[in-house]
Amino acid sequence: MEKWDVVIVGAGPGGSYAAKTAAEAGLRTVFFERGRKPGEKNSSGCGLGQRWWRDFPEVMEAVTRMPSYRKVEMVVINMVDEDLRLRFRCGTNGSDLCAGRFPNRKGMEGASVYRMDLDPYLAELAVKAGAELRTSTLVTDVIMENGQVKGVRTERGEPVYAEVVIAADGAMSTMARRSGMRNRWGGGCTNVLQLDYACDEEMMDDVIGDAEWCWFGGAVGYQVNFRSSFHISVGGGWLDRDLKGYRRHDDLKSLIDVPAFQAMCRAVKARPREFQAHLLPWLKRPVKSYTGGMMLVGDAAGFPCPLEAEGVWHACYSGKIAAETAAWAISRGDVSENALSEYEKRWKASFLGKEHEFGEEFVDIWEGAIMNREKALEQLQLMLEFTMLQPFSIVFDWADAHMDCFNHHLRHFLELAPQFSDFGRTYLAPLARGVWPSNVKRILLMLKPRIPVLRNLSDRNYFRVMARLFRQLAPFLDPTAEQDAPLPRGSLEKRGGERR
Ligand SMILES: Cc1cc2nc3c(=O)[nH]c(=O)nc-3n(C[C@H](O)[C@H](O)[C@H](O)COP(=O)(O)OP(=O)(O)OC[C@H]3O[C@@H](n4cnc5c(N)ncnc54)[C@H](O)[C@@H]3O)c2cc1C
């Protein structure tokens, strides 16, 4: 009977990083991959953000040497109106304030790389650490005894036993379903369509540079740029809705038809070469991530970022925590559900837990405002009008005298304002609890000298008066509130309730 300390299903980023961590901890580890080699079955490529330099610097160093690598120093945003006209383009290169907190890093410094480069590299790290990789092996079932996972079964019927199973088998997760941890996704999972293009490398350098591109129109598209290629993807709707096929292909097509996109394709000599459709969990909160003898990592647990669906970092990060928890539980001789609940405690207390603090609020914006075509167009119009009120647009709107142009735009913006206030009340107000109390205090202190009747009060008394006058501010001004952290969920609503 084959028995291991840890069996891992899937050699994507989550599985490989879990295998590396488990093997380094001295656990006898095997990991299974259904593809002929890791990376073969996954979305073509991915963008990796700055936090990789903080958490996996050795991987990022290696990524910069991979054949498909393109540096990401900027995100370019293209806004397109209903008539497919490009109306606004801007770029942002992040901020030293966030990336500057990581050693020797400034501004935006991410990477784009093909999964066919990244996944085999990560798997190789695990093999070098002592884990055994078995490719072309589909795992089809879990072995359960007395309600606890004891191992897995491959499609050839072979049983493979383990102290702990780590399910890193992606969005579809056979392991999560076969163990009864969850059913197929209902809501909370999207179907992402993607078109991959081969391009001319020199033209990519000249036209695209070191940047990712985003396209905002009736649909939102990500354009991830690699050394001599790019792919464009659109979220094609939630799995439990829009299944009639209308949105999924129409959204991708509407982006590809944008003349500015076509012009870019001509400039980089882009040739479409592969169409892909992949599932991507997009959850308000991850699913329960452990049961007796098994933990879920990465997409299997629904860990991708609830705002922009980055998920490779989340997979590696959760894989690492799961393997560390497995080592801890095995050393105590207890891999029961109760013992493995430690995994959920650990990831909730980590950067990964922080990522999901606002999951509900972020996903609501997608559900109600962006994934809904009519609403997305309304919001886009508002955003475009908003961009027209900034100084550059005032200078460069030379249709008429500049202040007249500004006033025309201001009037239009004010006409749209009721719509904006609906959007604000529904989708932005719930994010208010994320503003740190210390920042709310800073803003109020800036206002204090301008309020004659209050300016002579001590800061403490001033905050007291403000909390009385504006009850919604009270939770931020409560002396017991943590100053540089979001307020707990429900704290603002509770105040609103009291007021009523
Ligand atoms: C179109 C698209 C674009 C994306 N872009 C980005 C991006 O730019 N940046 C980013 O960070 N994230 C991105 N993501 C999200 C990211 O791809 C996932 O979050 C990430 O791959 C999750 O890693 P994982 O290891 O959990 O699962 P996966 O990457 O899905 O790996 C699972 C592995 O398990 C194998 N497997 C599955 N079932 C079995 C089985 N039963 N037996 C054996 N092997 C099995 C699969 O073949 C696969 O190799 C994107 C996702 C999509 C769909």
Side-chain angles (χ1 to χ4, degrees), residues 203-235:
M203 302 314 288
M204 286 288 288
D205 290 343
D206 292 349
V207 177
I208 302 282
D210 290 335
E212 303 282 39
W213 284 30
C214 283
W215 296 85
F216 287 87
V220 179
Y222 291 98
Q223 181 184 328
V224 183
N225 300 308
F226 307 97
R227 176 164 294 167
S228 56
S229 61
F230 70 82
H231 69 216
I232 174 109
S233 48
V234 295

Side-chain angles (χ1 to χ4, degrees), residues 9-16 32-35 37-48 52 115 119 137-140 168-171 173-175 192-194 212 224 231 233 276 278-281 297-300 304 309-316:
V9 184
S16 289
F32 293 104
E33 170 55 46
R34 64 182 171 175
K37 62 186 277 200
E40 185 186 53
K41 295 275 186 186
N42 300 324
S43 143
S44 45
C46 59
L48 308 175
W52 279 82
R115 296 288 296 272
D119 287 23
T137 308
L138 180 72
V139 176
T140 49
D169 49 346
S173 189
T174 309
M175 298 298 101
V192 184
L193 303 185
Q194 188 161 279
E212 303 282 39
V224 183
H231 69 216
S233 48
Q276 306 166 355
H278 288 281
L279 294 187
L280 177 60
V297 306
D299 281 13
E310 173 198 5
V312 177
W313 174 86
H314 306 66
C316 290

